[in-house]
Amino acid sequence: MEPRGLAPPIDLEIMKNLRLHLVTWNVGTASPPPDVTSLLQLSSQGPSMDMYVIGLQEVNSKIINFLSDLAFDDPWSIFFMTVFSPLGYIKLSSVRMQGLLLLVFVKHAHIPFIRDIHTHYTRTGLYGYWGNKGGVTIRMSLYGHMICFMNCHLPAHIENAEQRLDDFEKILEMQQFEDENVPNILDHDILFWFGDLNFRIADYGIHFVRESISNSRYNLLWEKDQLNMAKKKEAFLQEFIEGPLQFKPTYKFDLHSDVYDTSGKKRKPAWTDRILWRVKNLSQHSSEDGDLFEGEQTISVTLNNYISHMSYGISDHKPVTGTFGLQIKPLFSTPLVTLNPEGEWNAAQDVLISYSTVSEFPSSTWDWIGLYQVTFRHVNDYVTYAWVKDDEISSSEDVTQVYISADEIPHAGGEFLLCYYSHNMQSIAGMSQPFQVQPSKRSAEKELAQENIDGIEKPHSPEPYNEF
């Protein structure tokens, strides 16, 4: 049995190899499809993913839709939260710039070990004044390692290859973070760069390109892919890695089909939708107790799968996914805050929460503890909350207790968990294990009465008349 107030020990073997599934998809202003099981590999027989990163381009951003999305979550965010929350993932962060949307979903177990979450965006459309093109970014510290995800939509058309490179360089230069150790995009330990990068296949005519695709001889097209060509010439691109393009070019298709463009424009197929990554050269890292891991690889990336998904036809692009293994040596193994419900909770009674913090935790009077259903979607999806200072009833050197009134507890009870939200860190600093809240007597009696009503034998319905 675990001592009260202590988080269960972390299995460092699991933490060393995290599984990441990354999606890029130009959705062409369409609504979400009815099913994304194959896109997210939800029926895979292997271990489940630890993190999902979804990068979308051309999300519907007409003025009415965009104003609505500013007040409420957009349909795509709601769709993915509905998919992931029953599976034990929450939306860690998101950032939107007109049609560009970036979402990060993470398993509950990793939430207390993710810190320094920040978002950024850079407009490059209309000389930097319009956000139809550009890049959106989410960065974070994952077990002490700085990870950055960048979703881009770069200029279209085959003749704009140089403009695409210029815009990407501009995004790298403009996105600065208030962190003296990691101020720039390229300072992160791992950078994932993905999106509708819009690079085309140069020189070859449309008939040769389509014939090569029909014969699955994609390698004939690789050397004329504009991104591959640029990586040979541009120094700033040479540290980016990409898996082999062993799938059909993902643009441009007739809607709801796997047939390339039959319109009057007859666009030449191209690998516009890409996923690349860059690992910073790490010679040493310090752990939470100051030890250095000299000469030891503390973080690495392995690409397990890089494919397109031809069955999705809501736009003229096919989605592309990359499944990665992140091999990480955690630089800390203890949450900043550990918290537990005190005793057995009953919805008819005031309840207590005990929590403790590590010595260096930057606490604030604006910190709060939220009560969540186990299928909660994001940090603001709480049932109720308690201010850690205003609702404090006792405090010692080791443990502090706060209370929640019975009036705030759902009468029906159920399975819940607690999260400590840090105002200074703007993130969840600790999470309890799931626990049961017993229903109030009034709720239990009401439920029993309903069961009795439902159990009353109803008169048999007459048999349908059949004259034959």
Side-chain angles (χ1 to χ4, degrees):
M1 182 175 176
E2 293 298 327
R4 298 293 292 165
L6 295 179
I10 292 175
D11 187 337
L12 292 177
E13 289 304 311
I14 292 178
M15 298 308 162
K16 283 182 181 178
N17 193 358
L18 305 180
R19 288 171 57 82
L20 162 69
H21 190 71
L22 198 155
V23 178
T24 179
W25 193 3
N26 183 322
V27 297
T29 74
S31 299
D35 184 78
V36 287
T37 299
S38 63
L39 181 70
L40 303 176
Q41 295 187 1
L42 296 179
S43 59
S44 171
Q45 298 301 309
S48 62
M49 300 297 163
D50 296 283
M51 181 182 293
Y52 283 91
V53 178
I54 316 289
L56 305 180
Q57 307 86 40
E58 294 194 22
V59 173
N60 195 336
S61 58
K62 292 179 181 177
I63 188 67
I64 293 176
N65 301 82
F66 192 65
L67 291 175
S68 172
D69 295 346
L70 289 175
F72 310 99
D73 281 312
D74 66 276
W76 280 95
S77 295
I78 294 170
F79 172 75
F80 281 115
M81 285 190 288
T82 302
V83 170
F84 284 126
S85 62
L87 303 177
Y89 300 86
I90 74 163
K91 186 184 77 172
L92 178 78
S93 184
S94 65
V95 58
R96 171 95 184 261
M97 182 182 73
Q98 287 180 224
L100 273 170
L101 177 64
L102 179 57
L103 303 161
V104 175
F105 293 88
V106 181
K107 263 187 177 178
H108 291 179
H110 304 302
I111 295 296
F113 303 96
I114 301 177
R115 305 169 186 174
D116 302 323
I117 304 166
H118 295 282
T119 63
H120 214 311
Y121 64 88
T122 301
R123 304 183 187 94
T124 59
L126 198 62
Y127 306 102
Y129 290 99
W130 194 242
N132 64 320
K133 297 290 191 294
V136 293
T137 300
I138 298 174
R139 60 80 66 89
M140 68 195 71
S141 166
L142 177 64
Y143 292 95
H145 299 273
M146 297 306 298
I147 314 292
C148 185
F149 300 98
M150 180 191 296
N151 173 24
C152 290
H153 194 184
L154 301 181
H157 307 305
I158 192 166
E159 66 271 15
N160 287 328
E162 289 300 321
Q163 185 63 52
R164 287 187 272 278
L165 296 174
D166 290 344
D167 282 7
F168 181 50
E169 278 197 284
K170 179 182 178 182
I171 294 168
L172 292 177
E173 290 170 3
M174 291 189 66
Q175 295 210 4
Q176 303 286 320
F177 296 96
E178 295 180 4
D179 184 335
E180 61 183 23
N181 296 317
V182 189
N184 303 311
I185 293 285
L186 296 179
D187 292 324
H188 290 80
D189 297 333
I190 301 176
L191 167 61
F192 287 94
W193 173 39
F194 49 94
D196 180 0
L197 306 186
N198 252 323
F199 290 101
R200 307 303 171 98
I201 297 171
D203 299 340
Y204 296 142
I206 187 171
H207 298 295
F208 177 78
V209 170
R210 288 193 173 188
E211 185 177 351
S212 299
I213 295 168
S214 297
N215 295 325
S216 298
R217 301 187 67 184
Y218 310 127
N219 59 307
L220 297 179
L221 308 175
W222 291 345
E223 67 175 16
K224 293 299 182 180
D225 171 79
Q226 289 177 331
L227 181 53
N228 286 341
M229 294 166 69
K231 285 180 67 179
K232 293 177 182 178
K233 297 188 301 181
E234 302 289 344
F236 77 100
L237 290 178
Q238 289 171 3
E239 291 184 340
F240 284 92
I241 304 167
E242 184 181 20
L245 297 168
Q246 299 282 15
F247 51 86
K248 287 184 176 183
T250 52
Y251 174 84
K252 176 182 184 183
F253 289 89
D254 291 345
L255 294 183
H256 306 292
S257 80
D258 56 4
V259 176
Y260 283 108
D261 186 16
T262 59
S263 71
K265 293 182 178 180
K266 283 192 167 56
R267 298 283 190 197
K268 185 164 56 171
W271 285 289
T272 53
D273 310 281
R274 312 287 277 271
I275 301 172
L276 299 90
W277 71 97
R278 176 185 182 271
V279 180
K280 185 180 174 185
N281 183 24
L282 300 177
S283 58
Q284 55 180 256
H285 249 305
S286 61
S287 67
E288 61 184 357
D289 57 8
D291 292 336
L292 292 179
F293 306 115
E294 294 194 38
E296 183 180 353
Q297 186 76 21
T298 59
I299 188 166
S300 63
V301 178
T302 302
L303 176 65
N304 297 324
N305 204 1
Y306 188 35
I307 59 174
S308 65
H309 296 261
M310 296 294 291
S311 63
Y312 294 92
I314 61 173
S315 82
D316 54 5
H317 290 251
K318 300 299 182 183
V320 171
T321 61
T323 305
F324 297 87
L326 304 185
Q327 292 77 38
I328 289 180
K329 185 173 184 65
L331 303 183
F332 50 80
S333 58
T334 306
L336 292 171
V337 179
T338 57
L339 67 165
N340 291 292
E342 273 296 320
E344 184 176 282
W345 280 27
N346 188 298
Q349 301 170 348
D350 294 349
V351 293
L352 295 179
I353 302 163
S354 294
Y355 74 89
S356 58
T357 66
V358 298
S359 58
E360 68 273 18
F361 177 64
S363 62
S364 163
T365 56
W366 297 104
D367 291 355
W368 48 272
I369 295 173
L371 176 68
Y372 297 84
Q373 293 184 320
V374 290
T375 56
F376 75 114
R377 297 180 169 205
H378 51 78
V379 69
N380 292 323
D381 192 22
Y382 49 77
V383 175
T384 187
Y385 64 89
W387 295 105
V388 297
K389 295 300 182 186
D390 290 355
D391 298 316
E392 178 183 309
I393 61 167
S394 70
S395 180
S396 67
E397 186 176 331
D398 298 323
V399 177
T400 302
Q401 289 188 327
V402 299
Y403 83 99
I404 296 179
S405 167
D407 296 336
E408 305 290 334
I409 308 296
H411 294 302
E415 191 174 18
F416 296 86
L417 51 79
L418 299 164
C419 293
Y420 186 110
Y421 185 82
S422 166
H423 174 76
N424 288 330
M425 297 173 58
Q426 295 289 295
S427 63
I428 294 172
M431 181 182 289
S432 75
Q433 296 295 313
F435 61 94
Q436 287 292 136
V437 175
Q438 299 303 316
S440 66
K441 186 178 180 181
R442 182 176 63 181
S443 176
E445 290 174 347
K446 184 178 179 181
E447 187 175 323
L448 182 61
Q450 186 62 47
E451 287 178 358
N452 290 337
I453 293 172
D454 293 342
I456 294 175
E457 187 173 343
K458 296 181 174 64
H460 292 293
S461 300
E463 292 294 326
Y465 177 69
N466 190 337
E467 60 184 359
F468 295 105

